[in-house]
Amino acid sequence: MFVTLTLNPAVDQALQVAGELALNHLHLIEAETNSPGGKGVNVAKVLAANRRPVAAAGLLGEDQLGFYQKALIAAGITCCFLPLPHPTRINLMFSDGQGHEMKFNRPGFPDLAFDEAALLAYARSLATPGNVIIMSGSLPVQFPPTTYALLIRLFRSAGCPTVIDTSGPALAAALTETPDVIKPNRQELESVLGKSLETEAAMHAALRRLMSRHEVIIVSDGARGAWFADRTRIWFAAAPAVACVDTTGAGDSLLGQFCADYFPARQLTPELMARAVAAGAAAVERHGTPVIPPARIHELAQQVHPTLSVTDNPPPHPSL
């Protein structure tokens, strides 16, 4: 069973405008889609499309519980959210169909106080040994940066493989608990490490610094593709060329496809990496965060050819 944990969900409202997006202009809305959002929810959609057993968990305002349940259960996803008497945020994304977009993300649950005991009690209810726990996204406003670190420690003690995709101080704190799989994008990893990773040499050095601490590292890099590393090897997989409509959820689709193929065998292969990058590319071809047809992922994966960049044993790095 996969469990995706989204502590800061959102309804993703994608709005397509007529003409080209421009500042100080009136834009007419041509199309609108509303989707249950949050990074973990997006990951769950991909897992379900691959017919993997998955439960979407986390915090959710009671105002959107019915909307989420209707959409996710229809997609084959079990809902295990902790309902809250607080409204779920609505995030806006404007696009013009020409590759231009503007995103507006509201803060999550600004009035929700952090209750460590209640959160850990809820997490224990999800921690069946062997469940793969995928923790994704930002944190509610009042939650401390150490929240994911606390959860990783709990899930690891329960015998659950852990996957983390977050950013900023929350990512830095989570890395200290050595989750099994991490998936920052390049900018997020640069922020944590405090250095540019624009060059191949800099990326190699950063990945080698982390390889002894994590089973797999994935660094997504937008339209370029993604880097992958296990304990001894580093690959780069260039993304296929696609028409970009909406980048919302692209990294989540990549991670969802990776997890669907990686667990439980836990073998990192070129075919697996190609499918993951293809899923991310397929996501940007669509508005919002819909379920991606597996046939399209398979088609795009034929255009992805991961190349081995480094193969040796890096020296251990006990700390970041």
Side-chain angles (χ1 to χ4, degrees), residues 5 7 58-59 80-86 112-126 143-144 147 150-151 154-155:
L5 191 65
L7 298 181
L59 309 180
C80 297
F81 293 104
L82 179 64
L84 300 173
H86 297 271
L112 176 63
F114 179 66
D115 185 335
E116 180 177 332
L119 179 63
L120 294 181
Y122 170 65
R124 289 188 191 97
S125 72
L126 308 171
F143 281 38
T147 299
L150 291 170
L151 292 171
L154 181 151
F155 289 128

mmCIF file of all heavy atoms in Angstrom, residues 5 7 58-59 80-86 112-126 143-144 147 150-151 154-155:
data_model
loop_
_atom_site.group_PDB
_atom_site.id
_atom_site.type_symbol
_atom_site.label_atom_id
_atom_site.label_comp_id
_atom_site.label_asym_id
_atom_site.label_seq_id
_atom_site.Cartn_x
_atom_site.Cartn_y
_atom_site.Cartn_z
ATOM 1 N N LEU A 5 0.921 11.651 1.847
ATOM 2 C CA LEU A 5 0.583 12.527 2.968
ATOM 3 C C LEU A 5 0.704 13.981 2.519
ATOM 4 O O LEU A 5 1.798 14.445 2.183
ATOM 5 C CB LEU A 5 1.512 12.254 4.145
ATOM 6 C CG LEU A 5 1.126 12.887 5.478
ATOM 7 C CD1 LEU A 5 -0.190 12.314 5.997
ATOM 8 C CD2 LEU A 5 2.226 12.670 6.517
ATOM 9 N N LEU A 7 -0.065 17.670 3.871
ATOM 10 C CA LEU A 7 -0.433 18.473 5.030
ATOM 11 C C LEU A 7 -0.953 19.855 4.647
ATOM 12 O O LEU A 7 -1.531 20.551 5.487
ATOM 13 C CB LEU A 7 0.774 18.613 5.966
ATOM 14 C CG LEU A 7 1.308 17.301 6.557
ATOM 15 C CD1 LEU A 7 2.482 17.591 7.481
ATOM 16 C CD2 LEU A 7 0.214 16.537 7.297
ATOM 17 N N GLY A 58 -3.688 13.018 4.980
ATOM 18 C CA GLY A 58 -3.217 14.350 5.314
ATOM 19 C C GLY A 58 -4.324 15.171 5.919
ATOM 20 O O GLY A 58 -5.354 14.656 6.359
ATOM 21 N N LEU A 59 -4.122 16.465 5.942
ATOM 22 C CA LEU A 59 -5.092 17.390 6.512
ATOM 23 C C LEU A 59 -5.994 17.924 5.403
ATOM 24 O O LEU A 59 -5.537 18.155 4.284
ATOM 25 C CB LEU A 59 -4.373 18.546 7.202
ATOM 26 C CG LEU A 59 -3.273 18.159 8.200
ATOM 27 C CD1 LEU A 59 -2.649 19.417 8.808
ATOM 28 C CD2 LEU A 59 -3.815 17.247 9.285
ATOM 29 N N CYS A 80 -8.157 8.963 3.288
ATOM 30 C CA CYS A 80 -7.910 8.821 4.729
ATOM 31 C C CYS A 80 -7.540 10.170 5.348
ATOM 32 O O CYS A 80 -6.668 10.239 6.212
ATOM 33 C CB CYS A 80 -6.787 7.810 4.971
ATOM 34 S SG CYS A 80 -7.130 6.135 4.428
ATOM 35 N N PHE A 81 -8.170 11.234 4.891
ATOM 36 C CA PHE A 81 -7.828 12.568 5.379
ATOM 37 C C PHE A 81 -8.319 12.783 6.811
ATOM 38 O O PHE A 81 -9.300 12.178 7.246
ATOM 39 C CB PHE A 81 -8.449 13.632 4.475
ATOM 40 C CG PHE A 81 -7.877 13.678 3.095
ATOM 41 C CD1 PHE A 81 -8.575 13.146 2.026
ATOM 42 C CD2 PHE A 81 -6.630 14.246 2.864
ATOM 43 C CE1 PHE A 81 -8.054 13.185 0.742
ATOM 44 C CE2 PHE A 81 -6.096 14.284 1.586
ATOM 45 C CZ PHE A 81 -6.811 13.755 0.528
ATOM 46 N N LEU A 82 -7.623 13.661 7.501
ATOM 47 C CA LEU A 82 -8.050 14.120 8.811
ATOM 48 C C LEU A 82 -8.819 15.424 8.607
ATOM 49 O O LEU A 82 -8.218 16.455 8.295
ATOM 50 C CB LEU A 82 -6.837 14.351 9.711
ATOM 51 C CG LEU A 82 -7.129 14.854 11.131
ATOM 52 C CD1 LEU A 82 -7.918 13.807 11.919
ATOM 53 C CD2 LEU A 82 -5.829 15.195 11.857
ATOM 54 N N PRO A 83 -10.152 15.416 8.734
ATOM 55 C CA PRO A 83 -10.936 16.631 8.473
ATOM 56 C C PRO A 83 -10.679 17.698 9.529
ATOM 57 O O PRO A 83 -10.516 17.403 10.713
ATOM 58 C CB PRO A 83 -12.388 16.135 8.531
ATOM 59 C CG PRO A 83 -12.314 14.646 8.438
ATOM 60 C CD PRO A 83 -11.007 14.269 9.065
ATOM 61 N N LEU A 84 -10.657 18.950 9.079
ATOM 62 C CA LEU A 84 -10.420 20.083 9.971
ATOM 63 C C LEU A 84 -11.513 21.132 9.790
ATOM 64 O O LEU A 84 -12.004 21.340 8.673
ATOM 65 C CB LEU A 84 -9.067 20.741 9.647
ATOM 66 C CG LEU A 84 -7.812 19.881 9.774
ATOM 67 C CD1 LEU A 84 -6.621 20.661 9.245
ATOM 68 C CD2 LEU A 84 -7.589 19.446 11.207
ATOM 69 N N PRO A 85 -11.876 21.839 10.858
ATOM 70 C CA PRO A 85 -12.871 22.913 10.745
ATOM 71 C C PRO A 85 -12.232 24.211 10.247
ATOM 72 O O PRO A 85 -12.447 25.292 10.805
ATOM 73 C CB PRO A 85 -13.390 23.040 12.177
ATOM 74 C CG PRO A 85 -12.222 22.675 13.025
ATOM 75 C CD PRO A 85 -11.496 21.589 12.273
ATOM 76 N N HIS A 86 -11.428 24.092 9.208
ATOM 77 C CA HIS A 86 -10.753 25.239 8.602
ATOM 78 C C HIS A 86 -10.894 25.124 7.088
ATOM 79 O O HIS A 86 -10.847 24.014 6.555
ATOM 80 C CB HIS A 86 -9.266 25.263 8.975
ATOM 81 C CG HIS A 86 -8.997 25.423 10.438
ATOM 82 N ND1 HIS A 86 -8.877 26.663 11.041
ATOM 83 C CD2 HIS A 86 -8.842 24.506 11.422
ATOM 84 C CE1 HIS A 86 -8.644 26.491 12.336
ATOM 85 N NE2 HIS A 86 -8.620 25.193 12.596
ATOM 86 N N LEU A 112 -4.623 27.427 11.856
ATOM 87 C CA LEU A 112 -4.486 26.107 12.477
ATOM 88 C C LEU A 112 -3.215 26.056 13.321
ATOM 89 O O LEU A 112 -2.098 26.144 12.802
ATOM 90 C CB LEU A 112 -4.442 25.020 11.411
ATOM 91 C CG LEU A 112 -4.217 23.587 11.900
ATOM 92 C CD1 LEU A 112 -5.370 23.132 12.787
ATOM 93 C CD2 LEU A 112 -4.029 22.634 10.722
ATOM 94 N N ALA A 113 -3.367 25.885 14.614
ATOM 95 C CA ALA A 113 -2.209 25.758 15.511
ATOM 96 C C ALA A 113 -1.610 24.360 15.378
ATOM 97 O O ALA A 113 -2.315 23.377 15.138
ATOM 98 C CB ALA A 113 -2.630 26.017 16.949
ATOM 99 N N PHE A 114 -0.286 24.281 15.541
ATOM 100 C CA PHE A 114 0.398 22.993 15.452
ATOM 101 C C PHE A 114 0.164 22.198 16.726
ATOM 102 O O PHE A 114 0.415 22.687 17.833
ATOM 103 C CB PHE A 114 1.895 23.211 15.252
ATOM 104 C CG PHE A 114 2.692 21.934 15.179
ATOM 105 C CD1 PHE A 114 2.517 21.056 14.130
ATOM 106 C CD2 PHE A 114 3.625 21.623 16.169
ATOM 107 C CE1 PHE A 114 3.253 19.877 14.045
ATOM 108 C CE2 PHE A 114 4.365 20.456 16.100
ATOM 109 C CZ PHE A 114 4.178 19.583 15.039
ATOM 110 N N ASP A 115 -0.328 20.970 16.572
ATOM 111 C CA ASP A 115 -0.564 20.070 17.696
ATOM 112 C C ASP A 115 0.234 18.793 17.422
ATOM 113 O O ASP A 115 -0.232 17.895 16.725
ATOM 114 C CB ASP A 115 -2.065 19.771 17.821
ATOM 115 C CG ASP A 115 -2.408 18.933 19.052
ATOM 116 O OD1 ASP A 115 -1.525 18.200 19.544
ATOM 117 O OD2 ASP A 115 -3.570 18.996 19.509
ATOM 118 N N GLU A 116 1.450 18.738 17.956
ATOM 119 C CA GLU A 116 2.345 17.617 17.661
ATOM 120 C C GLU A 116 1.746 16.286 18.078
ATOM 121 O O GLU A 116 1.803 15.307 17.314
ATOM 122 C CB GLU A 116 3.690 17.828 18.361
ATOM 123 C CG GLU A 116 4.680 16.688 18.108
ATOM 124 C CD GLU A 116 6.025 16.940 18.752
ATOM 125 O OE1 GLU A 116 6.401 18.124 18.931
ATOM 126 O OE2 GLU A 116 6.709 15.944 19.089
ATOM 127 N N ALA A 117 1.153 16.209 19.252
ATOM 128 C CA ALA A 117 0.608 14.940 19.740
ATOM 129 C C ALA A 117 -0.512 14.443 18.826
ATOM 130 O O ALA A 117 -0.574 13.252 18.488
ATOM 131 C CB ALA A 117 0.099 15.106 21.170
ATOM 132 N N ALA A 118 -1.389 15.353 18.414
ATOM 133 C CA ALA A 118 -2.499 14.952 17.545
ATOM 134 C C ALA A 118 -1.991 14.514 16.181
ATOM 135 O O ALA A 118 -2.492 13.528 15.606
ATOM 136 C CB ALA A 118 -3.488 16.102 17.404
ATOM 137 N N LEU A 119 -1.001 15.229 15.635
ATOM 138 C CA LEU A 119 -0.466 14.872 14.326
ATOM 139 C C LEU A 119 0.215 13.507 14.362
ATOM 140 O O LEU A 119 0.017 12.669 13.472
ATOM 141 C CB LEU A 119 0.518 15.929 13.844
ATOM 142 C CG LEU A 119 1.162 15.658 12.480
ATOM 143 C CD1 LEU A 119 0.107 15.643 11.378
ATOM 144 C CD2 LEU A 119 2.235 16.705 12.178
ATOM 145 N N LEU A 120 1.014 13.249 15.389
ATOM 146 C CA LEU A 120 1.708 11.968 15.486
ATOM 147 C C LEU A 120 0.732 10.823 15.726
ATOM 148 O O LEU A 120 0.923 9.715 15.214
ATOM 149 C CB LEU A 120 2.765 12.023 16.585
ATOM 150 C CG LEU A 120 3.942 12.970 16.329
ATOM 151 C CD1 LEU A 120 4.939 12.909 17.472
ATOM 152 C CD2 LEU A 120 4.630 12.651 15.011
ATOM 153 N N ALA A 121 -0.328 11.076 16.491
ATOM 154 C CA ALA A 121 -1.339 10.039 16.695
ATOM 155 C C ALA A 121 -2.008 9.681 15.372
ATOM 156 O O ALA A 121 -2.251 8.504 15.068
ATOM 157 C CB ALA A 121 -2.370 10.508 17.708
ATOM 158 N N TYR A 122 -2.315 10.689 14.575
ATOM 159 C CA TYR A 122 -2.898 10.444 13.246
ATOM 160 C C TYR A 122 -1.910 9.691 12.362
ATOM 161 O O TYR A 122 -2.274 8.734 11.655
ATOM 162 C CB TYR A 122 -3.290 11.774 12.609
ATOM 163 C CG TYR A 122 -3.667 11.677 11.156
ATOM 164 C CD1 TYR A 122 -4.794 10.956 10.754
ATOM 165 C CD2 TYR A 122 -2.903 12.309 10.174
ATOM 166 C CE1 TYR A 122 -5.143 10.869 9.414
ATOM 167 C CE2 TYR A 122 -3.243 12.226 8.842
ATOM 168 C CZ TYR A 122 -4.368 11.509 8.467
ATOM 169 O OH TYR A 122 -4.710 11.415 7.134
ATOM 170 N N ALA A 123 -0.635 10.093 12.391
ATOM 171 C CA ALA A 123 0.376 9.429 11.563
ATOM 172 C C ALA A 123 0.522 7.957 11.938
ATOM 173 O O ALA A 123 0.706 7.103 11.066
ATOM 174 C CB ALA A 123 1.715 10.155 11.706
ATOM 175 N N ARG A 124 0.423 7.655 13.216
ATOM 176 C CA ARG A 124 0.541 6.251 13.645
ATOM 177 C C ARG A 124 -0.573 5.396 13.032
ATOM 178 O O ARG A 124 -0.378 4.204 12.771
ATOM 179 C CB ARG A 124 0.511 6.155 15.165
ATOM 180 C CG ARG A 124 1.771 6.680 15.845
ATOM 181 C CD ARG A 124 1.783 6.389 17.351
ATOM 182 N NE ARG A 124 2.858 7.129 17.995
ATOM 183 C CZ ARG A 124 2.699 8.292 18.619
ATOM 184 N NH1 ARG A 124 1.480 8.851 18.693
ATOM 185 N NH2 ARG A 124 3.723 8.911 19.167
ATOM 186 N N SER A 125 -1.730 5.987 12.809
ATOM 187 C CA SER A 125 -2.829 5.228 12.219
ATOM 188 C C SER A 125 -2.545 4.846 10.765
ATOM 189 O O SER A 125 -3.193 3.953 10.212
ATOM 190 C CB SER A 125 -4.129 6.042 12.294
ATOM 191 O OG SER A 125 -4.120 7.130 11.380
ATOM 192 N N LEU A 126 -1.578 5.516 10.128
ATOM 193 C CA LEU A 126 -1.206 5.247 8.743
ATOM 194 C C LEU A 126 0.017 4.345 8.633
ATOM 195 O O LEU A 126 0.341 3.860 7.546
ATOM 196 C CB LEU A 126 -0.902 6.563 8.020
ATOM 197 C CG LEU A 126 -1.955 7.662 8.101
ATOM 198 C CD1 LEU A 126 -1.393 8.957 7.517
ATOM 199 C CD2 LEU A 126 -3.226 7.260 7.374
ATOM 200 N N PHE A 143 2.982 25.441 11.280
ATOM 201 C CA PHE A 143 3.723 24.207 11.538
ATOM 202 C C PHE A 143 5.226 24.476 11.485
ATOM 203 O O PHE A 143 5.696 25.185 10.588
ATOM 204 C CB PHE A 143 3.347 23.132 10.532
ATOM 205 C CG PHE A 143 2.039 22.442 10.816
ATOM 206 C CD1 PHE A 143 0.942 23.134 11.302
ATOM 207 C CD2 PHE A 143 1.903 21.076 10.594
ATOM 208 C CE1 PHE A 143 -0.263 22.512 11.571
ATOM 209 C CE2 PHE A 143 0.699 20.432 10.860
ATOM 210 C CZ PHE A 143 -0.388 21.150 11.351
ATOM 211 N N PRO A 144 6.004 23.906 12.405
ATOM 212 C CA PRO A 144 7.446 24.145 12.405
ATOM 213 C C PRO A 144 8.142 23.409 11.260
ATOM 214 O O PRO A 144 7.635 22.392 10.757
ATOM 215 C CB PRO A 144 7.889 23.583 13.758
ATOM 216 C CG PRO A 144 6.881 22.523 14.067
ATOM 217 C CD PRO A 144 5.580 23.030 13.527
ATOM 218 N N THR A 147 8.520 19.472 11.098
ATOM 219 C CA THR A 147 7.353 18.590 11.068
ATOM 220 C C THR A 147 7.634 17.310 10.294
ATOM 221 O O THR A 147 7.356 16.196 10.773
ATOM 222 C CB THR A 147 6.143 19.321 10.454
ATOM 223 O OG1 THR A 147 5.816 20.459 11.259
ATOM 224 C CG2 THR A 147 4.940 18.394 10.386
ATOM 225 N N LEU A 150 9.982 14.905 12.109
ATOM 226 C CA LEU A 150 9.285 14.138 13.142
ATOM 227 C C LEU A 150 8.540 12.957 12.543
ATOM 228 O O LEU A 150 8.571 11.832 13.073
ATOM 229 C CB LEU A 150 8.301 15.037 13.890
ATOM 230 C CG LEU A 150 8.867 16.132 14.793
ATOM 231 C CD1 LEU A 150 7.749 17.070 15.247
ATOM 232 C CD2 LEU A 150 9.572 15.522 15.994
ATOM 233 N N LEU A 151 7.872 13.191 11.416
ATOM 234 C CA LEU A 151 7.086 12.140 10.787
ATOM 235 C C LEU A 151 7.980 11.055 10.184
ATOM 236 O O LEU A 151 7.673 9.863 10.286
ATOM 237 C CB LEU A 151 6.185 12.746 9.709
ATOM 238 C CG LEU A 151 5.067 13.650 10.236
ATOM 239 C CD1 LEU A 151 4.375 14.371 9.085
ATOM 240 C CD2 LEU A 151 4.052 12.842 11.040
ATOM 241 N N LEU A 154 9.040 8.773 12.899
ATOM 242 C CA LEU A 154 7.955 7.887 13.316
ATOM 243 C C LEU A 154 7.740 6.764 12.301
ATOM 244 O O LEU A 154 7.638 5.589 12.673
ATOM 245 C CB LEU A 154 6.666 8.703 13.486
ATOM 246 C CG LEU A 154 5.411 7.959 13.951
ATOM 247 C CD1 LEU A 154 4.496 8.909 14.721
ATOM 248 C CD2 LEU A 154 4.626 7.359 12.778
ATOM 249 N N PHE A 155 7.666 7.110 11.025
ATOM 250 C CA PHE A 155 7.393 6.102 10.003
ATOM 251 C C PHE A 155 8.543 5.110 9.874
ATOM 252 O O PHE A 155 8.323 3.912 9.679
ATOM 253 C CB PHE A 155 7.110 6.773 8.658
ATOM 254 C CG PHE A 155 5.791 7.498 8.610
ATOM 255 C CD1 PHE A 155 5.722 8.823 8.185
ATOM 256 C CD2 PHE A 155 4.611 6.868 8.984
ATOM 257 C CE1 PHE A 155 4.519 9.499 8.144
ATOM 258 C CE2 PHE A 155 3.395 7.538 8.943
ATOM 259 C CZ PHE A 155 3.343 8.852 8.517
#
